[in-house]
Amino acid sequence: WKQIKGRIYSKFHQRRMQELSVVGLQNFFSLFLMLAAVTETEDITSRVLDLLDFLSPTSINTAQRVLIWRGYFAFLLTYIEKSMDISVLAKKLSQGFKETAKEFLVT
């Protein structure tokens, strides 16, 4: 794992993340969920969260946003299945929910 870790991580950077289509984003989550299931779950999840921070809410469409939410919940389930502390993911989800809820506020 340590030999290919850098190679995989180096393929994903800010520009690449912003260029991902819905299918590309789905493949991104599939890759990292598989890696999280078999190796360093916390390290991989941390990296995924950092990479997702490169996506600004204005640059992603509804399908991508839905996929990102599904990805968050998939990582959350992975943490639960491995009896790991979910506080980092829960915080990220609550922040995302708060931001999404703001979009529906009527002033």
Side-chain angles (χ1 to χ4, degrees), residues 9-61:
Y9 283 179
S10 69
K11 299 295 181 196
F12 297 96
H13 44 77
Q14 184 172 1
R15 186 176 49 84
R16 175 77 44 93
M17 289 302 295
Q18 292 171 345
E19 292 173 350
L20 287 177
S21 65
V22 173
V23 173
L25 199 54
Q26 186 171 1
N27 291 337
F28 166 82
F29 277 115
S30 294
L31 170 66
F32 283 98
L33 281 166
M34 185 272 306
L35 291 172
V38 297
T39 189
E40 303 165 356
T41 304
E42 288 179 329
D43 178 51
I44 291 170
T45 304
S46 174
R47 180 67 175 175
V48 167
L49 295 177
D50 291 344
L51 290 169
L52 290 174
D53 284 342
F54 289 143
L55 302 175
S56 66
T58 57
S59 70
I60 56 174
N61 61 40

Side-chain angles (χ1 to χ4, degrees), residues 34-91:
M34 185 272 306
L35 291 172
V38 297
T39 189
E40 303 165 356
T41 304
E42 288 179 329
D43 178 51
I44 291 170
T45 304
S46 174
R47 180 67 175 175
V48 167
L49 295 177
D50 291 344
L51 290 169
L52 290 174
D53 284 342
F54 289 143
L55 302 175
S56 66
T58 57
S59 70
I60 56 174
N61 61 40
T62 304
Q64 289 171 315
R65 188 171 298 179
V66 168
L67 193 54
I68 291 168
W69 278 95
R70 286 181 180 168
Y72 282 148
F73 283 111
F75 276 100
L76 188 66
L77 285 172
T78 301
Y79 268 55
I80 291 169
E81 287 175 356
K82 292 185 170 195
S83 301
M84 297 172 69
D85 179 21
I86 63 168
S87 60
V88 173
L89 282 169
K91 182 179 177 182

